[in-house]
Amino acid sequence: MLLFSSYSTFLLSTIKLVSEVGGVFLSKDRVIHKQKSLAKIMDQSGQEFWASSFADKDIVMVPWNDFIEAYKTYTKNPDLTQQEEKLLKHVLDNSNSGSVTPSRFNDFLLAFSPLSSALQNVKSLFKEKWFHGFLAVEEVKILLRDQPVGTFLVRFSSGKTDSFALEYVEAKDTIRTVKITNEQPKGVKIVEENDNCRRFANLNDLLLNYDYVLKRPFYSDLVHKSWFKGDLTIEEAEDILEYLAIGTFLVHFSDVKLGKFIVCSYTSNYRTVKHVHLQKVTSGYVVVPQDDEPVIQSTIYPTVSDFLNFNRSLFKFNYDQEGVPLVKVEPFKDNGKEYVLKGCEEPTGGDCSVYGDVSAHTIATYPINTFGFQVICDWYYIKIVGNRVFFALADGCNWGYRPREAAKKASEAFVEFLVENHTEITDTLHCKHFLLRALSAAHDKIVEGKEQELWTVGTTTLVGGMIMKINEGLDTEEWAMVCSSIGDCKIFIYDSKAKITSEITIGNRGNLHDASDCGGRLGPYIDGKSPDLGNLGCYFWPCKKSDILLILSDGVHDNFDPKTLGYLPSDVTDTDCTDWKKLDYKTALRLKTDFSTRSITNFLEKVPSLTPKHITTSLLEYSKDITKLSRKFLEENPDKPEPRDYKNYPGKMDHCTVVTVLLGNMFENTGGTHVLAKTNQNTRINHKTTSKQKKEIFLNPFSTIEKDVLLNKDLLKKRVERFSKQMHKFITGPDSKEEQEKVGSIASAWACSTFPKNSNDKKRLGDPITETYSLELNLNRFVAVLTGSPCKGESARQSSQCANLAFQDYLRLYQSDITECQKAALHCVRASEIAHNTIMVGPPAPKFPYIPQPTYLLGGILMEEEDFSKTISQSYWTFVFINIGKFKAYLWKNLDSKVVDMTGTRMDQTIGNAKIGPANDSLPNLNGAQYYHQMCSQNDIIMIVSPAVYKNFEPKIMGKKPSEVGQNKPNWKFKLDEDQLSIWRCQRIEALLKEKKVQSPSDVTEAMMKHCIDLTKKTRDYLEVNSTQKLPKDFEKYPGKLGHCAILAFRVTRFKTNEAVRTGHANLIATTYRKMPLNPNSHTY
């Protein structure tokens, strides 16, 4: 459970979690394309092993337990020691995903083949002092800092086992890196400075050959430890640990005198993080006292591990960035009994479920004149088996029977999967793997039997997990609560002795300003088929006897949110800010978490009897009471929307569920009856009866376009050349001001503003530029995107950037899936949906306050056609793209010097209002959005332009009279026919390009942009002199349209220039922000 640390660390954690279950969620209809597994395994013995061991040759991930058993059988080595199995798992599954992929297995064999002796080769390598496994390059720099010249180490390159990196101190303050390529069983090779390729039988031979440079192997006991986090500052460590369980710790370098000190940071008390500094001496490590640090016995510890073990009372739980540390649990003890608590079959709710010290209940706080009251969509399912508790709470998304059914199926499938498989669980990390597989089972249950009619299936959020006895001999903690979550249900824990409430699932809601945004869900959502794993997370908490777990749907916990209760930031903390949206995410999360946990503590202290049943009914009664004004308003005004003035109408009406667990006696029925026990009738809401009901809305706005694509058989027939994975060049811009880029004679982009400058500060009005262009150039495919917002300001610019790079990142992931134009069009539609979602989430760490803004988008893929390129010498291409908004795409035909409007006149008539982002509340407006496909010839030039460019080629804007364009009219009070307008634009652009004798995309962008700048000069000069005057409407005197101008132009050809730079952009807007796994294409060794 990672909180306020750097976003890159969070993204890494999210990618690991999403990739872990990504394979689990795959089926034949999933978006993720399954490649043939055997094709990924180059080693012959490896292919034989995979083919003979796994019947499904297309399987994407093999569970670790299945893999290791198959390995033992194939290698005839059934007696692997626990240490040997652990070592193999470390190499084959370093991310702790609980599975092995064919590509990872292939990398393993490249380093350690043949398979029959791979284990021995791994053991031999890890015995070498100079080998440091999966060490990061930043950590290498710190470890080798201040080391003598000639000190060296070897590690896996880029976190993969298919190559190594050799690092050595070449001179003072100079560390040299050399890549070593694996070619087992042939050996290894390197490329020397003179480009001479040298091969060696093994790493030892290579190191001996260069022993005149590599003089001293570097050794450290830190780098192989899971608790060592490398280069963290004290502040970053405190951000990570602040809200975690007491005793959670991590070890890192000191941010003072880096490399000189090792810091052990740990949570010593509620929201209190302390640090112990260790200094390396000849015989080990000694504690170096700092101000305000705990007093620890002064002695010499041989290793950091010895220090941690000696002070185990302080350092109990190793922090894990995926949320769950490794803690052993008590084996399952079957007493032959099984107890079930579950939601009520009656759609409007029922009575409170109670067994022993576990209680659960659901109500609706909506008015009776809404469909939300008639059908409750929350569902809980709890099983108590032997000495373990299994629980799930699902909150169906939207109203009606579909989300209710999804919630019921998901929660029950989740728990039943765990009940069937839990006897294998021996520790919390093992439990986490089963929780993720249980989420997969829950999703599969939702869509089961409805694969051909997924649009009829609902979606749901879910939080679920297990409670088990800890078996590590710790002093106070007795129980381990491990859970996984998709969506916005939350779990809190109340320490009844210390009278402190902590949130366990902190940070699982990414959008703190919109309570209707759940962040993720199970069921067919992302592409109409797949779950949204956006905020998937796993969590751990050690519990003591008499602690109280509160598992709450958002209908309950949102009523402890300060914003929902009508408080401003200035009301809850020492700040002048009065707008929650102006707070950065970290600050808002901290304020809201502190407020809600304090409020829950204060509430529980007033509950007369802290029994699970009383707590459950009291929390529901509170949720009913806090929303009474809003409920009354809607009952009296059924035709009006729900009031959003939280100050006068506090609280959030919703379906409300509370599951309460009192730790200690969960397995004994100390009171009440099994499953149903009568509760206070006041828990139910007394409503007036009326026949009005709200209708369900289930449509995905993008699904209509997808269906059109699927029905287009012409697209299906057009096959394209397979994607070449070699990525050559990526350009994007502008940052905020004018920017021009070009890639040789292949591509060019230019964005600028033609608005006037302010007479006071000389800044341009309308800044920053809100248009964003990006172009990824590959050998045989180009991905081009232009985005922009009709709004102004930093939020508009950031929304444009978010959408643009999210579109690019999505297509980068699925390029290899595209084999015909139909798939290209489908992925363009889906990339647009991801771009929309990304706008709504926003950048991870915005420099300015962020509010999502409506955004235009035109983006697509240029691909070489397979049939043409193989049969005739002339190469033909197809540009498949989607247009949402007011951008246009033109084609400059090289052979006859003609300009074609690829977006046509339909765009002018209907698509202008289309936008992604919050065009209609939180939904996009796709009215008129359209996909296109255009055949292109070799050396044609494609131009994507903003309205402030193409509008300046219209006769009226250019200052022409109607008579000059064949119109017998005295003035421009009439509207020119759209077909004629499109033809006129093409003719004017064509005439300009011929006049300038353009030869390349850079010639095109320069000609068109200078035309816009020159045409608008008189208007700009007038406004700069007369800053208080309105924009003149006399185009004959003041021609041109002012605005943000953007042009992206690229040639239709293969990208094979010798000057190509192999780069991957830095994921500036952090790609789909927890919406999907990414591939940043990093090339760091």
Side-chain angles (χ1 to χ4, degrees):
M1 178 175 56
L2 180 61
L3 306 181
F4 318 117
S5 186
S6 64
Y7 185 77
S8 60
T9 310
F10 173 82
L11 186 61
L12 176 62
S13 172
T14 305
I15 291 172
K16 284 183 178 180
L17 280 174
V18 173
S19 64
E20 178 170 331
V21 293
V24 179
F25 279 112
L26 288 178
S27 74
K28 62 182 180 181
D29 294 324
R30 296 297 188 263
V31 176
I32 304 176
H33 179 61
K34 291 184 178 181
Q35 297 182 344
K36 293 292 184 180
S37 300
L38 294 181
K40 296 182 180 181
I41 303 172
M42 309 303 294
D43 179 76
Q44 184 64 35
S45 63
Q47 286 193 5
E48 293 173 359
F49 161 73
W50 200 272
S52 63
S53 302
F54 311 113
D56 184 359
K57 307 303 185 301
D58 287 342
I59 193 166
V60 177
M61 288 186 174
V62 176
W64 173 254
N65 289 338
D66 295 344
F67 177 86
I68 197 64
E69 290 303 319
Y71 173 84
K72 291 177 184 178
T73 302
Y74 185 83
T75 58
K76 300 178 181 180
N77 187 8
D79 300 322
L80 279 183
T81 66
Q82 185 177 0
Q83 191 62 32
E84 288 173 334
E85 183 175 334
K86 185 177 179 181
L87 182 59
L88 282 174
K89 189 175 190 304
H90 176 68
V91 177
L92 280 161
D93 182 25
N94 184 53
S95 64
N96 283 326
S97 68
S99 58
V100 178
T101 64
S103 59
R104 191 77 179 180
F105 182 56
N106 180 63
D107 292 344
F108 171 77
L109 292 176
L110 285 174
F112 303 109
S113 66
L115 186 59
S116 57
S117 57
L119 175 59
Q120 187 57 45
N121 295 338
V122 172
K123 291 165 66 176
S124 299
L125 179 62
F126 274 81
K127 286 179 181 177
E128 300 290 353
K129 284 190 173 183
W130 41 259
F131 185 68
H132 291 267
F134 296 95
L135 199 62
V137 63
E138 294 82 5
E139 294 165 349
V140 170
K141 294 176 181 178
I142 296 174
L143 291 170
L144 293 183
R145 184 178 296 160
D146 299 329
Q147 294 294 325
V149 173
T151 304
F152 71 94
L153 59 80
V154 179
R155 61 181 175 88
F156 289 124
S157 173
S158 297
K160 298 174 64 178
T161 59
D162 61 344
S163 58
F164 298 106
L166 164 66
E167 266 113 353
Y168 65 95
V169 182
E170 186 178 43
K172 186 176 181 181
D173 298 327
T174 302
I175 299 172
R176 183 78 177 275
T177 301
V178 179
K179 184 175 181 178
I180 304 173
T181 304
N182 274 317
E183 293 185 342
Q184 297 298 343
K186 298 177 182 179
V188 296
K189 74 174 182 179
I190 64 169
V191 179
E192 297 181 327
E193 289 183 343
N194 57 4
D195 292 333
N196 181 38
C197 182
R198 297 285 305 275
R199 284 183 168 82
F200 300 91
N202 51 52
L203 286 172
N204 272 311
D205 287 353
L206 183 151
L207 298 175
L208 286 173
N209 185 74
Y210 297 100
D211 60 0
Y212 58 92
V213 175
L214 310 174
K215 299 176 180 178
R216 176 179 173 269
F218 175 81
Y219 176 75
S220 171
D221 67 314
L222 292 174
V223 294
H224 301 302
K225 304 299 183 182
S226 60
W227 36 254
F228 181 64
K229 305 304 176 185
D231 185 15
L232 278 182
T233 66
I234 293 291
E235 290 75 18
E236 287 172 333
E238 289 178 347
D239 281 346
I240 291 171
L241 297 174
E242 181 180 7
Y243 286 90
L244 299 186
I246 295 172
T248 307
F249 73 95
L250 56 81
V251 179
H252 57 102
F253 290 119
S254 169
D255 51 341
V256 180
K257 298 182 180 179
L258 274 173
K260 294 294 186 182
F261 292 101
I262 302 295
V263 182
C264 304
S265 301
Y266 68 102
T267 307
S268 68
N269 209 332
Y270 174 70
R271 293 196 56 192
T272 302
V273 179
K274 292 187 177 181
H275 314 275
V276 178
H277 284 69
L278 301 178
Q279 185 172 23
K280 185 77 170 70
V281 295
T282 305
S283 54
Y285 294 87
V286 295
V287 176
V288 181
Q290 307 286 316
D291 294 339
D292 300 325
E293 285 192 354
V295 177
I296 292 180
Q297 181 179 351
S298 179
T299 186
I300 296 177
Y301 302 94
T303 66
V304 177
S305 296
D306 293 326
F307 168 78
L308 296 173
N309 289 330
F310 188 81
N311 296 282
R312 185 65 189 279
S313 60
L314 300 177
F315 307 101
K316 298 173 183 176
F317 306 110
N318 168 21
Y319 164 73
D320 184 275
Q321 65 187 21
E322 295 177 31
V324 181
L326 178 61
V327 179
K328 293 180 181 179
V329 297
E330 187 176 81
F332 172 61
K333 295 178 181 179
D334 190 359
N335 60 7
K337 298 179 180 180
E338 186 176 286
Y339 303 96
V340 178
L341 289 81
K342 64 179 181 179
C344 182
E345 297 292 344
E346 174 61 38
T348 55
D351 295 316
C352 186
S353 302
V354 180
Y355 177 81
D357 282 342
V358 182
S359 172
H361 194 197
T362 299
I363 66 170
T365 57
Y366 290 115
I368 199 170
N369 60 345
T370 64
F371 199 26
F373 173 76
Q374 300 294 331
V375 182
I376 293 177
C377 298
D378 286 5
W379 192 271
Y380 59 84
Y381 193 73
I382 306 157
K383 265 197 173 182
I384 302 170
V385 183
N387 60 339
R388 292 180 174 177
V389 178
F390 308 85
F391 65 87
L393 170 58
D395 180 358
C397 303
N398 293 322
W399 287 352
Y401 289 98
R402 294 176 185 176
R404 173 180 168 83
E405 182 183 20
K408 180 180 179 180
K409 287 183 174 180
S411 56
E412 295 185 359
F414 181 92
V415 168
E416 292 300 338
F417 177 88
L418 293 175
V419 171
E420 291 173 9
N421 297 279
H422 76 98
T423 54
E424 303 177 34
I425 296 174
T426 58
D427 58 59
T428 52
L429 196 56
H430 202 189
C431 179
K432 185 201 80 169
H433 298 154
F434 276 93
L435 293 179
L436 294 173
R437 293 170 65 183
L439 286 175
S440 174
H443 171 79
D444 290 342
K445 191 67 176 178
I446 293 173
V447 301
E448 184 179 67
K450 297 187 177 181
E451 290 80 2
Q452 303 305 316
E453 47 183 18
L454 290 175
W455 57 88
T456 67
V457 179
T459 60
T460 183
T461 66
L462 186 145
V463 63
M466 293 177 60
I467 303 172
M468 303 163 288
K469 191 79 174 290
I470 290 178
N471 192 28
E472 291 212 341
L474 300 178
D475 295 336
T476 55
E477 279 71 25
E478 298 179 47
W479 303 90
M481 194 290 301
V482 186
C483 71
S484 58
S485 169
I486 292 180
D488 55 2
C489 293
K490 286 183 175 291
I491 301 181
F492 296 82
I493 185 166
Y494 176 66
D495 185 335
S496 59
K497 293 182 178 179
K499 294 185 173 14
I500 291 173
T501 302
S502 302
E503 183 186 339
I504 296 175
T505 51
I506 186 170
N508 70 334
R509 172 176 277 173
N511 187 346
L512 297 177
H513 307 304
D514 184 1
S516 65
D517 181 4
C518 62
R521 63 186 73 189
L522 297 173
Y525 181 71
I526 283 291
D527 52 0
K529 302 175 184 178
S530 302
D532 179 356
L533 308 182
N535 62 352
L536 169 64
C538 293
Y539 307 86
F540 160 82
W541 200 274
C543 311
K544 305 184 298 295
K545 188 172 183 179
S546 76
D547 283 353
I548 297 172
L549 278 176
L550 300 173
I551 306 166
L552 310 177
S553 66
D554 61 322
V556 179
H557 69 70
D558 274 339
N559 287 314
F560 289 96
D561 184 289
K563 179 181 178 181
T564 310
L565 294 176
Y567 292 107
L568 303 176
S570 56
D571 296 329
V572 299
T573 189
D574 186 17
T575 179
D576 295 330
C577 180
T578 57
D579 187 349
W580 285 102
K581 292 183 178 180
K582 290 184 179 180
L583 297 177
D584 63 83
Y585 179 83
K586 174 180 174 180
T587 303
L589 180 60
R590 187 185 298 275
L591 288 179
K592 291 194 170 196
T593 301
D594 291 347
F595 182 92
S596 61
T597 52
R598 284 199 311 269
S599 298
I600 292 174
T601 298
N602 294 335
F603 177 84
L604 293 176
E605 288 180 354
K606 297 175 182 178
V607 175
S609 175
L610 285 182
T611 64
K613 179 180 175 181
H614 278 97
I615 293 171
T616 299
T617 55
S618 297
L619 284 169
L620 293 175
E621 190 70 26
Y622 164 81
S623 299
K624 181 189 70 172
D625 185 65
I626 202 70
T627 54
K628 62 184 179 183
L629 293 178
S630 296
R631 190 163 53 254
K632 181 180 179 182
F633 175 87
L634 288 183
E635 288 172 343
E636 295 174 352
N637 304 277
D639 297 327
K640 293 185 178 181
E642 181 179 345
R644 293 297 183 185
D645 178 7
Y646 290 123
K647 193 169 187 65
N648 293 315
Y649 296 93
K652 188 186 92 168
M653 294 178 292
D654 204 344
H655 301 143
C656 305
T657 299
V658 177
V659 176
T660 306
V661 181
L662 176 60
L663 274 297
N665 296 318
M666 299 89 72
F667 315 108
E668 301 175 13
N669 194 1
T670 56
T673 61
H674 182 211
V675 182
L676 292 180
K678 292 294 181 181
T679 185
N680 190 333
Q681 292 302 313
N682 290 333
T683 305
R684 295 188 175 216
I685 303 172
N686 192 8
H687 296 283
K688 299 176 182 177
T689 303
T690 160
S691 60
K692 283 199 173 184
Q693 296 180 345
K694 288 189 177 179
K695 296 182 179 179
E696 293 177 86
I697 300 176
F698 300 104
L699 293 178
N700 178 343
F702 293 88
S703 61
T704 303
I705 307 177
E706 284 196 20
K707 289 178 182 177
D708 289 343
V709 173
L710 291 171
L711 292 173
N712 191 326
K713 301 303 180 184
D714 293 335
L715 284 177
L716 186 61
K717 295 176 183 177
K718 298 185 73 171
R719 295 190 61 81
V720 296
E721 286 286 326
R722 284 204 166 272
F723 174 61
S724 171
K725 293 184 179 179
Q726 179 77 16
M727 188 171 79
H728 292 276
K729 187 71 175 177
F730 181 89
I731 61 173
T732 184
D735 185 25
S736 61
K737 299 179 181 179
E738 179 174 352
E739 190 169 342
Q740 183 179 10
E741 293 188 66
K742 65 178 181 178
V743 183
S745 62
I746 301 294
S748 176
W750 193 343
C752 74
S753 171
T754 56
F755 283 117
K757 291 183 179 179
N758 190 306
S759 57
N760 296 325
D761 55 14
K762 300 302 180 182
K763 292 182 179 179
R764 290 199 182 276
L765 301 175
D767 276 354
I769 295 174
T770 58
E771 267 67 12
T772 304
Y773 60 78
S774 67
L775 179 65
E776 181 169 298
L777 300 157
N778 295 280
L779 181 65
N780 60 348
R781 288 189 191 175
F782 298 173
V783 177
V785 194
L786 182 64
T787 52
S789 176
C791 306
K792 300 289 189 297
E794 279 294 337
S795 288
R797 182 183 71 85
Q798 292 181 74
S799 295
S800 175
Q801 283 188 333
C802 287
N804 196 293
L805 295 182
F807 189 97
Q808 281 280 4
D809 287 337
Y810 176 90
L811 289 181
R812 182 179 303 112
L813 283 172
Y814 297 112
Q815 280 282 20
S816 58
D817 183 43
I818 298 173
T819 53
E820 67 270 336
C821 290
Q822 188 183 68
K823 284 190 176 181
L826 276 175
H827 281 301
C828 284
V829 176
R830 291 163 184 167
S832 303
E833 183 178 3
I834 294 299
H836 165 76
N837 293 340
T838 305
I839 291 172
M840 301 311 298
V841 174
K847 297 179 181 178
F848 304 92
Y850 177 75
I851 300 174
Q853 298 294 329
T855 301
Y856 301 138
L857 181 148
L858 192 154
I861 315 173
L862 176 66
M863 303 164 290
E864 191 172 10
E865 292 189 20
E866 182 181 61
D867 298 335
F868 281 111
S869 61
K870 289 185 176 179
T871 56
I872 56 178
S873 58
Q874 172 67 40
S875 177
Y876 283 86
W877 300 64
T878 295
F879 184 44
V880 177
F881 63 99
I882 186 170
N883 190 18
I884 304 173
K886 294 188 176 182
F887 294 142
K888 273 191 167 291
Y890 293 94
L891 179 68
W892 169 254
K893 303 184 74 172
N894 180 62
L895 292 178
D896 53 8
S897 300
K898 295 290 184 181
V899 171
V900 176
D901 183 353
M902 293 191 285
T903 41
T905 58
R906 179 178 181 273
M907 191 281 289
D908 299 293
Q909 297 167 351
T910 62
I911 201 174
N913 292 326
K915 307 173 191 70
I916 56 175
N920 182 15
D921 196 9
S922 61
L923 295 176
N925 177 4
L926 301 184
N927 181 29
Q930 182 67 32
Y931 69 92
Y932 303 81
H933 57 102
Q934 173 74 42
M935 180 182 286
C936 313
S937 301
Q938 186 81 10
N939 289 323
D940 287 351
I941 295 176
I942 294 172
M943 302 165 281
I944 304 174
V945 298
S946 65
V949 175
Y950 67 76
K951 287 284 186 181
N952 283 311
F953 290 91
E954 294 179 2
K956 176 182 177 181
I957 304 295
M958 293 178 68
K960 304 291 184 181
K961 297 179 179 179
S963 58
E964 295 181 66
V965 292
Q967 300 293 323
N968 189 21
K969 302 284 183 180
N971 52 49
W972 285 106
K973 291 185 178 180
F974 69 98
K975 187 175 182 181
L976 196 64
D977 178 79
E978 294 294 347
D979 289 325
Q980 292 178 318
L981 191 59
S982 178
I983 293 171
W984 176 272
R985 290 196 200 106
C986 290
Q987 290 175 344
R988 292 305 91 202
I989 296 173
E990 185 180 300
L992 175 69
L993 300 185
K994 285 180 179 179
E995 177 189 342
K996 299 298 182 180
K997 298 179 180 180
V998 299
Q999 299 293 323
S1000 66
S1002 59
D1003 294 340
V1004 170
T1005 56
E1006 185 171 354
M1008 295 181 70
M1009 192 63 80
K1010 287 187 176 180
H1011 165 80
C1012 295
I1013 295 172
D1014 293 344
L1015 184 67
T1016 56
K1017 186 177 187 306
K1018 286 185 179 179
T1019 308
R1020 191 165 47 256
D1021 291 345
Y1022 171 82
L1023 291 175
E1024 287 177 355
V1025 174
N1026 304 278
S1027 58
T1028 60
Q1029 297 297 314
K1030 294 183 178 180
L1031 182 69
K1033 299 297 184 181
D1034 184 356
F1035 287 108
E1036 291 185 24
K1037 187 175 181 180
Y1038 298 102
K1041 174 179 173 58
L1042 303 177
H1044 294 152
C1045 302
I1047 308 174
L1048 178 59
F1050 49 97
R1051 189 187 300 278
V1052 178
T1053 185
R1054 284 198 163 209
F1055 184 60
K1056 49 188 177 181
T1057 173
N1058 294 329
E1059 298 176 359
V1061 180
R1062 182 171 175 149
T1063 62
H1065 76 279
N1067 283 318
L1068 300 178
I1069 307 296
T1071 342
T1072 73
Y1073 311 108
R1074 310 177 290 281
K1075 290 293 175 194
M1076 57 189 304
L1078 309 179
N1079 177 12
N1081 289 306
S1082 172
H1083 300 288
T1084 306
Y1085 288 158

